Amino acid sequence: MKVVAVIPARLASTRLPRKMLRPIAGEPLLAWVYQAARRCSLLDEVIVATDSQEILEFCKQRGFMARMTSETHRSGTERVHEISTLIPADVYLNIQGDEPLTRPEHVESLIAVMRAPEVQVGTLKTPAAEIDIHNPSAVKVVTDSTGRALYFSRATIPFDRDGAAPRYYKHLGFYGYRKDALERFVRWPESFLERSERLEQLRFLENGVSIYVAETPFDTVGVDTEEDVRRVEEILRGPQK
């Protein structure tokens, strides 16, 4: 099974300007993600997909494989789809560029999910830390008994009406796709729930495509704010994760 990992990397982020090149504990954010992905021996290629000449030049300087992609893409999934039209593979992984705590184990868990031929889309979850349960920036996920996602939300799901103390799971920004799933995604219009939650994976669920979710013990912190930068730096400068 040929597996290509794609790291979508826009420079024009809104909440944290130029975050892909933002230094995190002495290294640009994008470098943390790329180097972690490259440590996974199961990947055939790791490619940065960007719309920024500056990011492309940075990748060339570091020896990272990178491709320019359209400026019109509205999501990382659309950027991964463009790469899928250029580079043949059995499975494409979307490793979000703002996840500096990415580990090879995340990639390995995702590839394991995608080995089942019936799986069109896969992703990861981890037990939610207390700080993330009521944090709308940390997306929660609930799954059925076979590991398929029922819903993703910025809200705290499931709602604990009677104090049953359910286990909450945080969704991590890693996806696996087969080419057909990517082709369908870009043909569908933005869905109602996707627009409401600002979560692109809901487009698959609203169109009847199951998302299989693997569990990992390794949490991550997506970098969107200055507070996230400080939190990640504290983790990276502490004991080995």
Short mmCIF file of all heavy atoms in Angstrom, two decimals, residues 16 21 36 38 49 51 61 65 68 76-77 79 81 115 126 150 154 178 180 182 198-199 238-239:
data_model
loop_
_atom_site.label_atom_id
_atom_site.label_comp_id
_atom_site.label_asym_id
_atom_site.label_seq_id
_atom_site.Cartn_x
_atom_site.Cartn_y
_atom_site.Cartn_z
N LEU A 16 -3.50 33.58 14.03
CA LEU A 16 -2.08 33.68 14.39
C LEU A 16 -1.30 33.89 13.09
O LEU A 16 -0.93 32.94 12.42
CB LEU A 16 -1.61 32.41 15.11
CG LEU A 16 -0.23 32.47 15.76
CD1 LEU A 16 -0.19 33.51 16.87
CD2 LEU A 16 0.15 31.10 16.31
N LEU A 21 5.43 29.48 9.84
CA LEU A 21 6.86 29.77 10.00
C LEU A 21 7.17 30.35 11.38
O LEU A 21 8.29 30.77 11.64
CB LEU A 21 7.33 30.72 8.90
CG LEU A 21 7.19 30.19 7.48
CD1 LEU A 21 7.70 31.22 6.46
CD2 LEU A 21 7.95 28.86 7.30
N ALA A 36 8.58 15.21 12.15
CA ALA A 36 7.90 14.11 12.84
C ALA A 36 7.32 13.12 11.83
O ALA A 36 7.44 11.89 12.00
CB ALA A 36 6.79 14.66 13.73
N ARG A 38 8.36 12.55 8.81
CA ARG A 38 9.45 11.86 8.11
C ARG A 38 10.02 10.72 8.95
O ARG A 38 10.60 9.78 8.40
CB ARG A 38 10.59 12.85 7.81
CG ARG A 38 10.44 13.55 6.51
CD ARG A 38 10.97 12.77 5.30
NE ARG A 38 10.50 11.39 5.16
CZ ARG A 38 10.01 10.84 4.08
NH1 ARG A 38 9.89 11.53 2.99
NH2 ARG A 38 9.65 9.58 4.04
N ALA A 49 2.13 20.97 1.01
CA ALA A 49 1.29 21.56 -0.04
C ALA A 49 0.96 22.99 0.37
O ALA A 49 0.24 23.21 1.34
CB ALA A 49 0.01 20.74 -0.22
N ASP A 51 0.45 27.42 -0.73
CA ASP A 51 0.14 28.44 -1.74
C ASP A 51 1.06 29.64 -1.57
O ASP A 51 0.81 30.71 -2.11
CB ASP A 51 -1.33 28.88 -1.64
CG ASP A 51 -1.68 29.44 -0.27
OD1 ASP A 51 -0.79 29.53 0.60
OD2 ASP A 51 -2.86 29.79 -0.07
N GLN A 61 15.14 25.24 1.29
CA GLN A 61 16.32 25.45 2.14
C GLN A 61 16.52 24.30 3.12
O GLN A 61 17.66 23.92 3.42
CB GLN A 61 16.18 26.77 2.90
CG GLN A 61 16.25 28.01 2.03
CD GLN A 61 15.80 29.25 2.77
OE1 GLN A 61 15.60 29.24 3.99
NE2 GLN A 61 15.64 30.34 2.03
N MET A 65 10.35 18.16 0.83
CA MET A 65 9.62 18.07 -0.43
C MET A 65 8.38 18.95 -0.34
O MET A 65 7.62 18.89 0.64
CB MET A 65 9.22 16.63 -0.72
CG MET A 65 8.60 16.44 -2.10
SD MET A 65 8.21 14.70 -2.46
CE MET A 65 9.86 14.02 -2.53
N MET A 68 3.67 23.66 -4.91
CA MET A 68 2.75 24.79 -4.92
C MET A 68 1.37 24.28 -5.31
O MET A 68 1.22 23.49 -6.24
CB MET A 68 3.21 25.85 -5.91
CG MET A 68 4.39 26.68 -5.43
SD MET A 68 3.99 27.75 -4.02
CE MET A 68 3.02 29.03 -4.83
N GLY A 76 -7.84 22.25 3.89
CA GLY A 76 -6.70 21.36 3.71
C GLY A 76 -7.05 20.16 2.86
O GLY A 76 -6.22 19.66 2.10
N THR A 77 -8.30 19.68 2.96
CA THR A 77 -8.72 18.52 2.17
C THR A 77 -8.65 18.84 0.68
O THR A 77 -8.24 18.00 -0.13
CB THR A 77 -10.14 18.10 2.56
OG1 THR A 77 -10.20 17.91 3.98
CG2 THR A 77 -10.53 16.80 1.87
N ARG A 79 -6.62 20.89 -0.69
CA ARG A 79 -5.20 20.94 -1.04
C ARG A 79 -4.65 19.51 -1.21
O ARG A 79 -3.85 19.23 -2.11
CB ARG A 79 -4.43 21.71 0.04
CG ARG A 79 -3.31 22.58 -0.51
CD ARG A 79 -2.78 23.54 0.53
NE ARG A 79 -3.71 24.64 0.78
CZ ARG A 79 -3.89 25.68 -0.03
NH1 ARG A 79 -3.18 25.77 -1.14
NH2 ARG A 79 -4.75 26.63 0.27
N HIS A 81 -6.41 16.96 -2.11
CA HIS A 81 -6.98 16.46 -3.36
C HIS A 81 -6.12 16.88 -4.55
O HIS A 81 -5.88 16.09 -5.47
CB HIS A 81 -8.41 16.96 -3.55
CG HIS A 81 -8.94 16.67 -4.91
ND1 HIS A 81 -8.99 17.62 -5.92
CD2 HIS A 81 -9.41 15.50 -5.47
CE1 HIS A 81 -9.48 17.06 -7.01
NE2 HIS A 81 -9.74 15.79 -6.77
N ARG A 115 -5.80 0.44 6.36
CA ARG A 115 -5.49 -0.84 5.71
C ARG A 115 -6.75 -1.64 5.38
O ARG A 115 -6.73 -2.48 4.48
CB ARG A 115 -4.55 -1.66 6.60
CG ARG A 115 -3.15 -1.09 6.66
CD ARG A 115 -2.14 -2.07 7.18
NE ARG A 115 -0.82 -1.45 7.34
CZ ARG A 115 0.03 -1.22 6.35
NH1 ARG A 115 -0.30 -1.57 5.11
NH2 ARG A 115 1.20 -0.65 6.58
N THR A 126 -8.30 10.92 20.92
CA THR A 126 -7.56 10.63 22.15
C THR A 126 -8.43 11.06 23.32
O THR A 126 -9.27 11.95 23.16
CB THR A 126 -6.21 11.39 22.15
OG1 THR A 126 -5.36 10.85 23.17
CG2 THR A 126 -6.39 12.88 22.38
N LEU A 150 -19.89 9.22 14.85
CA LEU A 150 -21.29 9.65 14.81
C LEU A 150 -21.38 11.15 14.59
O LEU A 150 -22.23 11.63 13.86
CB LEU A 150 -21.99 9.28 16.12
CG LEU A 150 -22.16 7.78 16.39
CD1 LEU A 150 -22.64 7.56 17.82
CD2 LEU A 150 -23.15 7.18 15.40
N ARG A 154 -17.57 21.23 18.20
CA ARG A 154 -16.84 22.10 19.12
C ARG A 154 -17.53 22.16 20.49
O ARG A 154 -16.94 22.59 21.47
CB ARG A 154 -16.72 23.51 18.53
CG ARG A 154 -15.95 23.53 17.22
CD ARG A 154 -15.77 24.93 16.68
NE ARG A 154 -15.08 24.89 15.40
CZ ARG A 154 -13.76 24.79 15.26
NH1 ARG A 154 -12.99 24.71 16.34
NH2 ARG A 154 -13.21 24.77 14.07
N ARG A 178 -8.95 7.71 0.76
CA ARG A 178 -8.72 7.11 -0.54
C ARG A 178 -9.08 8.15 -1.61
O ARG A 178 -9.81 9.10 -1.34
CB ARG A 178 -9.56 5.84 -0.69
CG ARG A 178 -9.18 4.80 0.36
CD ARG A 178 -9.59 3.41 0.03
NE ARG A 178 -9.29 2.54 1.17
CZ ARG A 178 -8.11 1.96 1.39
NH1 ARG A 178 -7.12 2.13 0.53
NH2 ARG A 178 -7.92 1.21 2.46
N ASP A 180 -10.96 8.18 -4.19
CA ASP A 180 -12.37 8.37 -4.52
C ASP A 180 -13.07 9.28 -3.51
O ASP A 180 -13.92 10.08 -3.89
CB ASP A 180 -13.07 7.01 -4.59
CG ASP A 180 -14.53 7.15 -4.99
OD1 ASP A 180 -14.80 7.65 -6.10
OD2 ASP A 180 -15.41 6.78 -4.17
N LEU A 182 -11.69 11.71 -1.81
CA LEU A 182 -11.26 13.07 -2.10
C LEU A 182 -11.99 13.64 -3.31
O LEU A 182 -12.41 14.80 -3.32
CB LEU A 182 -9.75 13.11 -2.35
CG LEU A 182 -8.86 12.88 -1.11
CD1 LEU A 182 -7.41 12.65 -1.55
CD2 LEU A 182 -8.95 14.07 -0.16
N ARG A 198 -17.73 24.93 11.36
CA ARG A 198 -16.44 25.18 10.72
C ARG A 198 -15.53 23.96 10.86
O ARG A 198 -14.37 24.04 11.25
CB ARG A 198 -15.74 26.43 11.29
CG ARG A 198 -16.50 27.73 11.13
CD ARG A 198 -17.14 27.97 9.79
NE ARG A 198 -16.26 27.75 8.64
CZ ARG A 198 -16.68 27.63 7.38
NH1 ARG A 198 -17.98 27.69 7.09
NH2 ARG A 198 -15.83 27.45 6.42
N LEU A 199 -16.10 22.79 10.52
CA LEU A 199 -15.37 21.52 10.57
C LEU A 199 -15.60 20.80 9.24
O LEU A 199 -16.69 20.30 8.97
CB LEU A 199 -15.87 20.65 11.73
CG LEU A 199 -15.66 21.21 13.13
CD1 LEU A 199 -16.34 20.32 14.17
CD2 LEU A 199 -14.18 21.37 13.44
N GLY A 238 9.87 20.53 28.14
CA GLY A 238 9.83 19.68 29.32
C GLY A 238 10.44 18.33 29.04
O GLY A 238 11.20 18.15 28.08
N PRO A 239 10.09 17.32 29.86
CA PRO A 239 10.57 15.96 29.61
C PRO A 239 10.11 15.45 28.25
O PRO A 239 9.12 15.92 27.71
CB PRO A 239 9.93 15.14 30.75
CG PRO A 239 9.58 16.14 31.79
CD PRO A 239 9.26 17.41 31.07
#
